[in-house]
Amino acid sequence: MITLQYFARYREHLGTGQEQLPWNESLGSLRAVRDALVARGDAWSVLGESRLMCARNQELCSLDEPVADGDEVAFFPPVTGG
C-alpha cells in the first residue's frame, strides 16, 4: 500500500486529505502515481498541474523519485514564504 496525502487547495479540491492506494509495479515512480490519479478524471485533473510539488516519506523530491510498497507520498501546490 502507498499512503497518499493531499495538502492545501488539493485537499479542498479533492474533498479528501488522505487515501491508501494498493501498490503495484506500474506505480514505480511519483510520476506514475500522479498519472494514475489524474486518469481518474474530473477533480483529479488538478494534480496534472506543472508546478505540483511532491514528497516521498516526508522528503521533497521530483516526480522521477521511485516509489515502493509502504511509502508515503504527498502532493501539494507551490508555497511561498514571507
Side-chain angles (χ1 to χ4, degrees), residues 2-78:
I2 301 170
T3 301
L4 301 172
Q5 305 240 0
Y6 310 105
F7 292 98
R9 68 180 176 84
Y10 293 159
R11 176 189 349 219
E12 295 167 13
H13 190 80
L14 298 171
T16 186
Q18 180 177 350
E19 71 173 298
Q20 299 273 311
L21 186 66
W23 185 86
N24 65 59
E25 290 182 18
S26 70
L27 301 175
S29 70
L30 276 168
R31 184 177 314 280
V33 171
R34 193 260 327 247
D35 290 349
L37 296 171
V38 169
R40 292 176 173 176
D42 297 325
W44 296 93
S45 64
V46 72
L47 297 177
E49 295 179 339
S50 62
R51 295 181 56 208
L52 168 118
M53 296 184 69
C54 52
R56 177 179 164 251
N57 298 328
Q58 300 181 5
E59 292 193 27
L60 290 175
C61 61
S62 75
L63 288 170
D64 296 323
E65 183 76 13
V67 174
D69 193 18
D71 281 350
E72 177 187 85
V73 171
F75 295 109
F76 46 97

